Amino acid sequence: MAASVQLNHVTLKFKKFEALKDVTLTLEAGKIHGLIGRNGAGKTSLLSLIAAFREPTAGEVFVDGSPVFENPEKMEQVAFVYDKDYKEETEKAKKLIALASHYRPHFDMGYAEQLIERFKLPVNKPVNKLSKGMQSALNVVIGLASRAPITIFDEAYLGMDAPSREIFYKEILQDQEDHPRTFILSTHLVSEMDYLFDNVVIIDQGTVLLHEPYETIEAHGVSVTGAAQEVDIFTAGMKQLNEQQLGGTKSVMIYGNLGDAKRQEARAQGLEIGPVSLQDLFIHLTEEAN
Amino acid sequence: MTSPRYRRVAAAVFSDMFKWSLWFFSILFVIHLVRVFWLNGDTNQIEGFFVFSQYSVNIFMLVVGIMSAYVFMSRHIQQGVSRKDSYLGTALAALALSAFATLVPLAVNGLQHLLAETISLPVELDTVSAFETTGGWFAAAIALFLNTLTFFLAGWVISIGYYRFGWIAGFGFIALSFVIFGLNDYLWKPNTADAMEWLPYNPLEANFWLTALGSSVLILLLFSLMRLLTKRVTIKM
């Protein structure tokens, strides 16, 4: 089960501050969408509209073509997992998981138990006594096991250690294969998660800077790797996003596409041409926009 | 047609409220026993459980109401339940809790009445006169039910006021709750309703059912106000 999301000229204002500015965006069903943006870019605002936590100031938000706000059938299809404040949550973790299974029609308790095992989540502890990483693991268990047609993880990994984050990423990919749904993963850990994305949305200051399939991102730039001197000569005059050097070998990220002639020239000089990293592109685009 | 989602909400909310009420009644009953056996002040007669618990039951319902917006509403919307289903489910659970909170004191009072006739207690329990003003236990039960529901709604209104409008406007909702309590006292406590003494008419002395009707109208108004206040509310994150 997967559902699509459409935002149609959506604006969200908090008093005079415009968190989202006339955003129009379609997120295809059954794909993993990476939503990336700097702090305060409007990611959470956008996601809270999809989850019907609030209404937009202007514009419309649709799930599978129907407005989502106060639409019971559509709201039921959206699971929004975010960094929730659990300071006052004295219920045990297993109670919150049971509640999710009570309300979510596609909830899979067997899968939840498997995840609890994998994350070593102490389900009999009150949630406010869990470590930050374990609270995040609880959120992830609920989000994954809910199998909602639209599952949103908004920086759901906060406080998780690297092995737990790895489990989280692997579970997303595995479950997407077995039970396809629409995932929206909001993050600023771009380099760690980019391999998960089918599509990428970069948002900055309330507007969408880029919305593309992950494969075409590489058309926005290339990495040139080879002997430092050769690379410097080859990339002189080009827009450089980033450079790394190890001994005599250098790798430079270039913004913009190389023509066929340039690619051939690089090959002739023994330089290696690779894809640009999403992280470098993200940093460049958001800096440029600022 | 409203989907059965609100019933799922009602079941889950009532299950939580029910657990709280079991704790509450257990503690209240222990206090009552202490009062009967040890702190009876050597008086000849003390009140039965129905009268003893009335004030506390109302406060309990007020507190449950105050917790409702914060504990339940966010949880529901986060689990993909619409505001309408969350509202209907919580309202239904509140009705059930009010019924339960009425039946327990009534049942305990009834048991006390039977017990007092068979065993000897250190003090005489007055398990009857509570029902005189209303003319019978059934009417008294209806009165308690309507009172508990009113207190729950007052709490619910306060909590949505704070939740939605912040703490300054929240004080306005506390002021509103005083108006609710004033009206409720006017209806049910003819001699103690100082705030409403300018009102010329004394409903309870005139006719019990008219009072119950007035109380029901107040409850309906509060239910409608809650629907208006939660209809498009933004969920805190």
Side-chain angles (χ1 to χ4, degrees):
Chain A
M1 281 274 287
S4 66
V5 176
Q6 300 89 36
L7 283 89
N8 198 4
H9 296 289
V10 167
T11 295
L12 180 65
K13 282 187 192 172
F14 298 107
K15 290 181 182 158
K16 282 182 183 165
F17 174 70
E18 254 188 327
L20 294 172
K21 300 166 189 164
D22 196 29
V23 171
T24 296
L25 182 69
T26 300
L27 302 176
E28 209 184 312
K31 296 274 162 83
I32 302 180
H33 302 271
L35 176 65
I36 59 185
R38 301 178 64 176
N39 293 327
K43 301 189 294 289
T44 302
S45 297
L46 190 142
L47 299 174
S48 68
L49 292 175
I50 298 171
F53 273 38
R54 56 169 71 247
E55 278 184 293
T57 315
E60 290 153 311
V61 183
F62 299 101
V63 165
D64 268 351
S66 302
V68 68
F69 191 83
E70 278 303 89
N71 181 336
E73 281 78 27
K74 298 302 168 196
M75 283 179 72
E76 195 175 71
Q77 294 187 17
V78 186
F80 182 22
V81 176
Y82 58 97
D83 177 32
K84 201 175 176 194
D85 182 0
Y86 280 128
K87 268 204 308 281
E88 311 290 336
E89 187 55 78
T90 51
E91 297 284 8
K92 289 176 183 168
K94 67 175 178 190
K95 164 85 188 273
L96 295 199
I97 293 169
L99 266 175
S101 84
H102 181 72
Y103 289 117
R104 294 289 180 187
H106 307 293
F107 195 93
D108 183 337
M109 196 46 109
Y111 183 41
E113 275 159 13
Q114 209 178 305
L115 292 167
I116 289 165
E117 189 89 354
R118 285 207 77 182
F119 284 111
K120 297 186 173 52
L121 180 65
V123 287
N124 284 314
K125 257 187 160 182
V127 176
N128 59 356
K129 297 276 188 281
L130 294 177
S131 69
K132 181 76 195 139
M134 278 302 163
Q135 290 178 347
S136 292
L138 168 66
N139 285 338
V140 163
V141 169
I142 292 173
L144 283 172
S146 291
R147 294 231 170 95
I150 296 170
T151 302
I152 304 171
F153 286 113
D154 184 11
E155 296 185 13
Y157 48 72
L158 290 177
M160 276 187 178
D161 55 20
S164 300
R165 293 204 299 274
E166 197 55 37
I167 294 172
F168 173 37
Y169 305 149
K170 279 187 179 156
E171 285 297 338
I172 289 177
L173 288 178
Q174 185 59 51
D175 207 54
Q176 182 68 346
E177 214 174 294
D178 303 338
H179 303 274
R181 53 179 139 168
T182 308
F183 275 109
I184 307 173
L185 310 177
S186 150
T187 182
H188 46 228
L189 293 183
V190 182
S191 58
E192 197 175 288
M193 293 175 73
D194 57 2
Y195 72 101
L196 300 170
F197 305 151
D198 296 317
N199 282 303
V200 176
V201 179
I202 297 181
I203 174 170
D204 192 60
Q205 295 178 51
T207 54
V208 175
L209 290 183
L210 178 142
H211 176 211
E212 280 183 26
Y214 185 67
E215 310 88 67
T216 66
I217 296 282
E218 57 189 87
H220 287 273
V222 290
S223 67
V224 182
T225 310
Q229 217 177 355
E230 306 267 328
V231 170
D232 282 339
I233 295 166
F234 183 81
T235 57
M238 295 181 182
K239 186 154 197 149
Q240 302 192 358
L241 302 181
N242 190 9
E243 62 168 57
Q244 282 177 322
Q245 192 163 355
L246 190 66
T249 305
K250 194 172 191 178
S251 180
V252 174
M253 296 280 181
I254 302 294
Y255 186 66
N257 203 355
L258 288 181
D260 282 346
K262 266 291 196 192
R263 279 178 188 266
Q264 270 182 358
E265 189 188 323
R267 253 176 249 127
Q269 288 176 21
L271 299 174
E272 209 175 293
I273 303 292
V276 69
S277 81
L278 181 59
Q279 166 123 328
D280 287 322
L281 189 66
F282 163 55
I283 293 169
H284 171 69
L285 288 175
T286 51
E287 264 174 8
E288 199 176 54
N290 285 301
Chain B
M1 198 184 83
T2 309
S3 63
R5 289 177 189 88
Y6 74 89
R7 274 188 244 158
R8 257 183 282 161
V9 173
V13 171
F14 182 71
S15 147
D16 274 346
M17 289 175 168
F18 181 71
K19 278 177 211 153
W20 299 339
S21 72
L22 287 186
W23 276 104
F24 164 74
F25 277 118
S26 307
I27 293 165
L28 196 66
F29 190 65
V30 170
I31 296 171
H32 184 62
L33 288 183
V34 170
R35 167 133 173 82
V36 171
F37 287 99
W38 292 283
L39 294 175
N40 48 36
D42 293 329
T43 46
N44 292 330
Q45 207 183 41
I46 63 169
E47 70 282 0
F49 193 70
F50 189 82
V51 173
F52 173 81
S53 62
Q54 273 195 2
Y55 184 71
S56 314
V57 168
N58 283 339
I59 298 301
F60 168 72
M61 293 299 287
L62 175 74
V63 172
V64 175
I66 288 174
M67 289 167 78
S68 288
Y70 284 88
V71 175
F72 299 120
M73 194 177 62
S74 299
R75 196 184 267 177
H76 296 149
I77 313 304
Q78 208 199 335
Q79 291 303 339
V81 175
S82 70
R83 287 156 186 77
K84 187 180 181 184
D85 285 327
S86 170
Y87 163 80
L88 285 175
T90 308
L92 217 61
L95 281 166
L97 183 70
S98 287
F100 182 69
T102 303
L103 286 176
V104 170
L106 202 65
V108 173
N109 201 83
L111 282 175
Q112 280 181 329
H113 186 71
L114 293 176
L115 266 179
E117 287 178 359
T118 50
I119 61 164
S120 140
L121 291 169
V123 282
E124 196 183 323
L125 280 176
D126 176 11
T127 51
V128 177
S129 71
F131 305 129
E132 280 168 7
T133 43
T134 50
W137 66 269
F138 183 66
I142 286 177
L144 182 57
F145 173 78
L146 293 172
N147 268 278
T148 53
L149 200 52
T150 306
F151 272 74
F152 173 87
L153 281 160
W156 203 14
V157 166
I158 292 173
S159 77
I160 195 67
Y162 271 91
Y163 187 93
R164 193 173 163 167
F165 302 105
W167 67 275
I168 296 177
F171 283 120
F173 282 82
I174 290 189
L176 176 64
S177 74
F178 287 139
V179 176
I180 298 167
F181 297 139
L183 282 169
N184 195 55
D185 279 356
Y186 164 67
L187 287 164
W188 293 109
K189 293 180 189 166
N191 303 318
T192 53
D194 297 337
M196 298 288 164
E197 66 187 359
W198 47 272
L199 286 170
Y201 183 71
N202 201 338
L204 191 57
E205 281 174 13
N207 184 315
F208 171 82
W209 295 107
L210 201 63
T211 304
L213 181 70
S215 192
S216 304
V217 169
L218 176 64
I219 285 166
L220 279 177
L221 283 174
L222 291 173
F223 269 127
S224 312
L225 177 66
M226 272 312 295
R227 173 69 181 132
L228 282 177
L229 289 169
T230 52
K231 208 172 175 180
R232 310 196 88 83
V233 63
T234 295
I235 300 306
K236 283 183 191 296
M237 292 182 63

